[in-house]
Amino acid sequence: MDTMLEGWTEPEQAVAREAFDRAYSRAVDQLVATVRSRAEELSSADSVWQLHDFLSIERHTIEGRFDFRLDGILFVFASLVKESLLQIDELAGLDAEKLAKIVAMSRF
């Protein structure tokens, strides 16, 4: 078995993937709403460049945050729970130890 997948059953992997995709979709939806709002306020070249800079930062943040590798996914889930992009109950199906770790890490 691939060491990256050790400790993860196929059903857990499916739960993790679905939760991850759901949180990603929420993050993108939030970004789109923010961009729409900011775009309505564009009034100069400077405001366009500020929007560009904002988007560059957000792209870097989202690409860094959303890394689906099972060896680090508990940390990702804890961060997403802390940021309200994911709820613990959306991770139902993971074993109790994994859920406990996510809950504990999300408190810091």
Side-chain angles (χ1 to χ4, degrees), residues 74-89:
L74 298 183
F75 294 105
V76 172
F77 285 155
S79 172
L80 296 173
V81 167
K82 187 174 185 175
E83 296 170 21
S84 299
L85 289 171
L86 193 61
Q87 302 298 315
I88 287 294
D89 64 347

Side-chain angles (χ1 to χ4, degrees), residues 31-44 47-48 50-52 54-55:
L31 177 60
V32 168
T34 299
V35 170
R36 282 189 176 133
S37 174
R38 287 186 173 210
E40 290 176 5
E41 298 171 8
L42 294 177
S43 61
S44 67
S47 62
V48 171
Q50 287 172 359
L51 180 59
H52 172 270
F54 168 78
L55 284 169

